[in-house]
C-alpha cells in the first residue's frame, strides 16, 4: 500500500497561532481540570485554532439554524475519499458505515454486537485508559496481551491470549488500538495481517480503534486494519476528532468489513441519533477540505518530536524516549529517575506540570508518563523545564 507523503502546503505552523493567554480562556477539560499555575500537557486536546473549512462549516450551519439530527452519507463519503487519497485504501464501502456518537461509544456498540456479558475482550497494555473503564462497565472480561519491550505487538503473547480467551467456547473480541495510544506505535501491514490470521484461526472478532489514523510521522505508513488480508470480519471506528481537534463536536463512523456487514446491520437505529449533526458537518469538512491544514500540523508535530528529544537530552537525560511513529503523544519512561510508579504526581506537585499517569494505562505503565506534545514549542520547552525543576 502506497501512502501519499506529507505535502508541502505552505500552511503556517498552527501551534504558533495561539498564545498561552488565549489558551487559558478555553473552558475545556485540558484547561479547567487543574489550577491556573499548572501547565497542562496531559489530555488529548491540541493547542491549535481550528482549520478554516471546519469553522466555516460550523458557522454556516449555525447561521442557517441547521442544528437538527444527522442524516445522509456525506461523512462516510468524505472518509472514503480521504482513505483513498492518504492511505491508498479503496475498500471503505459507504454502505458498510454507520454514524456513532464518538469512537469510544462506537467501540461499546461494536463490542456489544460481537460479544456478550462476561465474554473476554483482549487489549494490549499499556493502552488508553478508557478501554479498561468502558469494557468493565459493559461487564466484559479483560484479557491482557501486553506489548513487547519494543512497544510493538507481541504476536506470540497475542496468540496465547486468544487461545485462552476462546477455550471455554465463548465469544471473544480484540480491541485493537491502531495507532497505539500511548506509545505512538503504528502497526505495520505485516503485523496487522498476522493479527487477522490469528483472529480468523481462533474465531476472535477484531474491533479497531483507529481514531489517531491521520496522525503519522513523516515516512510512516498507516495501514487500516480492514485493508489487510483476512480482516473481512473486522470492525473499525474512525473519526476526524483527534487529527482536527474536534473532540467537542461529537461524531464518528463505525466501518464494517465485508464479513461484518450483517453485524453492523444489527446496530439499533437510535444510535444514529446520538452524534451531533453539527459535529458530522465539521468532521465532513475536515476530511474533505482540511487536508492542507493537516499537512501543516503533521510537519509541526515532526518538529516537536525532534524538539522533545533534544529537550529531554539536555534537561532530563535519564528519561527514555522513543519518538512515536504516530499520534501527538509521547510515552516517557521515567523509571531511571527513581520517582516511583507514578512520576506524573511528582511532576505535578513539584513542577506544576500536568502529565497523564502511567499506571492508568495498565500493565507496563508504572514509572511512565504520557506527554501531549501538540502545543507550541514555547509551552513544550517550559513543560520540560518544569519537569526538570521537579527533580531539584
Amino acid at each position: 500500500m502506497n501512502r501519499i507523503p506529507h505535502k508541502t502546503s505552505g500552511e503556517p505552523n498552527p501551534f504558533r497561532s495561539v498564545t498561552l493567554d488565549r489558551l487559558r480562556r478555553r473552558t475545556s477539560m485540558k484547561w479547567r481540570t487543574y489550577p491556573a499555575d499548572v501547565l497542562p500537557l496531559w489530555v488529548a486536546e491540541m493547542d491549535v485554532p481550528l482549520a478554516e473549512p471546519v469553522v466555516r462549516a460550523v458557522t454556516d450551519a449555525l447561521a442557517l439554524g441547521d442544528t437538527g439530527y444527522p442524516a445522509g452519507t456525506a461523512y462516510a463519503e468524505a472518509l472514503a475519499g480521504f482513505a483513498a487519497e492518504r492511505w491508498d485504501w479503496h475498500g471503505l464501502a459507504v454502505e458498510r458505515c454507520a454514524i456513532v456518537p464518538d469512537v469510544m461509544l462506537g467501540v461499546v456498540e461494536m463490542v456489544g454486537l460481537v460479544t456478550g456479558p462476561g465474554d473476554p475482550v483482549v487489549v494490549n497494555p499499556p493502552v488508553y485508559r478508557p478501554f479498561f473503564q468502558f469494557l468493565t462497565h459493559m461487564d466484559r472480561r479483560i484479557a491482557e496481551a501486553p506489548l513487547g519491550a519494543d512497544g510493538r505487538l507481541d504476536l506470540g503473547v497475542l496468540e496465547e491470549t486468544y487461545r485462552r480467551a476462546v477455550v471455554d467456547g465463548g465469544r471473544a473480541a480484540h480491541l485493537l488500538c491502531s495507532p497505539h495510544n500511548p506509545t505512538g506505535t503504528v502497526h505495520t501491514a505485516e503485523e496487522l495481517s498476522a493479527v487477522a490470521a490469528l483472529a480468523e484461526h481462533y474465531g476472535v472478532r477484531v474491533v479497531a480503534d483507529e481514531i489517531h489514523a491521520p496522525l503519522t510521522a513523516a515516512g510512516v505508513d498507516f495501514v487500516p486494519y480492514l485493508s489487510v488480508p483476512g480482516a473481512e470480519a473486522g470492525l473499525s471506528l474512525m473519526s476526524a476528532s483527534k487529527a482536527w481537534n474536534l473532540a467537542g463536536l461529537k461524531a464518528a463512523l463505525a466501518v464494517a468489513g465485508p464479513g461484518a456487514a450483517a453485524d453492523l446491520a444489527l446496530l439499533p437505529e437510535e444510535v444514529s441519533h446520538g452524534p451531533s449533526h453539527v459535529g458530522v458537518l465539521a468532521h465532513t469538512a475536515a476530511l474533505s477540505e482540511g487536508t492542507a491544514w493537516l499537512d501543516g500540523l503533521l510537519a509541526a508535530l515532526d518538529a516537536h518530536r525532534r524538539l522533545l528529544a533534544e529537550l529531554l537530552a539536555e534537561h532530563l537525560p535519564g528519561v527514555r524516549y522513543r519518538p512515536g511513529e504516530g499520534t501527538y503523544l509521547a510515552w516517557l519512561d521515567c523509571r531511571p529517575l527513581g520517582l516511583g510508579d507514578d512520576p506524573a504526581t511528582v511532576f505535578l506537585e513539584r513542577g506544576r506540570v500536568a502529565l497523564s499517569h502511567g499506571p492508568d494505562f495498565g500493565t507496563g505503565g508504572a514509572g511512565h508518563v504520557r506527554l501531549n506534545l501538540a502545543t507550541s514549542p514555547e509551552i513544550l520547552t517550559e513543560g520540560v523545564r518544569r519537569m526538570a525543576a521537579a527533580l531539584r
Side-chain angles (χ1 to χ4, degrees):
M1 183 175 294
N2 296 316
R3 182 184 56 82
I4 302 298
H6 298 178
K7 299 174 184 177
T8 303
S9 65
E11 294 268 318
N13 180 337
F15 297 108
R16 296 186 180 278
S17 303
V18 183
T19 64
L20 182 58
D21 287 344
R22 185 173 180 84
L23 289 168
R24 291 202 179 278
R25 291 168 54 190
R26 293 184 175 182
T27 59
S28 62
M29 180 184 291
K30 181 176 184 180
W31 293 96
R32 286 294 181 268
T33 297
Y34 294 99
D37 68 325
V38 172
L39 196 65
L41 296 176
W42 64 295
V43 73
E45 297 179 23
M46 292 197 290
D47 296 342
V48 290
L50 294 185
E52 192 277 333
V54 172
V55 175
R56 185 173 65 247
V58 171
T59 54
D60 285 354
L62 296 180
L64 285 171
D66 188 11
T67 53
Y69 295 102
T73 60
Y75 188 2
E77 291 167 10
L79 179 59
F82 182 87
E85 178 183 355
R86 305 294 284 212
W87 308 322
D88 196 27
W89 181 36
H90 301 270
L92 196 160
V94 171
E95 65 272 17
R96 293 199 306 273
C97 293
I99 300 174
V100 292
D102 60 28
V103 163
M104 276 313 303
L105 291 179
V107 163
V108 168
E109 295 293 344
M110 297 305 104
V111 170
L113 291 175
V114 298
T115 66
D119 283 337
V121 179
V122 177
V123 298
N124 306 112
V127 73
Y128 186 48
R129 181 187 186 189
F131 279 18
F132 300 101
Q133 297 169 315
F134 278 90
L135 292 174
T136 300
H137 184 69
M138 293 179 70
D139 192 26
R140 296 316 191 258
R141 178 165 53 88
I142 296 172
E144 293 194 359
L147 299 177
D150 58 357
R152 308 202 70 86
L153 294 171
D154 186 322
L155 296 174
V157 170
L158 186 64
E159 179 171 16
E160 176 59 19
T161 307
Y162 277 9
R163 187 193 64 76
R164 285 187 276 108
V166 301
V167 71
D168 294 329
R171 296 190 296 170
H174 178 188
L175 180 49
L176 177 69
C177 195
S178 179
H180 196 86
N181 173 5
T183 64
T185 299
V186 177
H187 310 306
T188 65
E190 292 75 18
E191 289 169 330
L192 294 174
S193 295
V195 171
L198 289 172
E200 184 176 28
H201 177 76
Y202 287 98
V204 175
R205 301 298 298 278
V206 175
V207 177
D209 171 355
E210 298 183 314
I211 195 170
H212 288 276
L215 294 166
T216 54
V220 177
D221 295 336
F222 170 74
V223 180
Y225 176 72
L226 297 181
S227 73
V228 303
E232 291 80 9
L235 294 154
S236 169
L237 285 305
M238 290 188 167
S239 170
S241 174
K242 287 294 180 279
W244 282 270
N245 207 40
L246 305 178
L249 291 169
K250 295 287 189 179
L253 286 165
V255 186
D263 298 299
L264 190 63
L266 297 176
L267 188 69
E269 187 270 339
E270 59 266 23
V271 172
S272 68
H273 298 170
S276 160
H277 176 50
V278 176
V280 169
L281 297 175
H283 287 242
T284 302
L287 290 163
S288 58
E289 303 175 63
T291 54
W293 182 92
L294 177 65
D295 287 324
L297 178 87
L298 294 176
L301 290 176
D302 284 338
H304 287 193
R305 293 184 189 99
R306 293 190 295 270
L307 174 61
L308 178 60
E310 293 167 1
L311 290 168
L312 292 173
E314 179 180 356
H315 299 287
L316 287 165
V319 172
R320 300 174 185 140
Y321 168 54
R322 180 190 297 118
E325 300 166 317
T327 80
Y328 49 74
L329 306 167
W331 186 236
L332 307 183
D333 182 354
C334 302
R335 288 175 294 179
L337 302 181
L339 301 179
D341 287 348
D342 189 15
T345 296
V346 177
F347 291 129
L348 176 62
E349 293 176 352
R350 299 182 191 171
R352 310 307 288 163
V353 56
L355 307 167
S356 296
H357 301 266
D360 288 347
F361 296 86
T363 300
H368 292 70
V369 299
R370 191 191 73 175
L371 181 150
N372 177 353
L373 49 76
T375 188
S376 71
E378 293 77 16
I379 291 176
L380 183 58
T381 300
E382 173 64 11
V384 175
R385 187 197 68 76
R386 292 188 183 202
M387 291 171 67
L391 303 183
R392 298 186 194 125

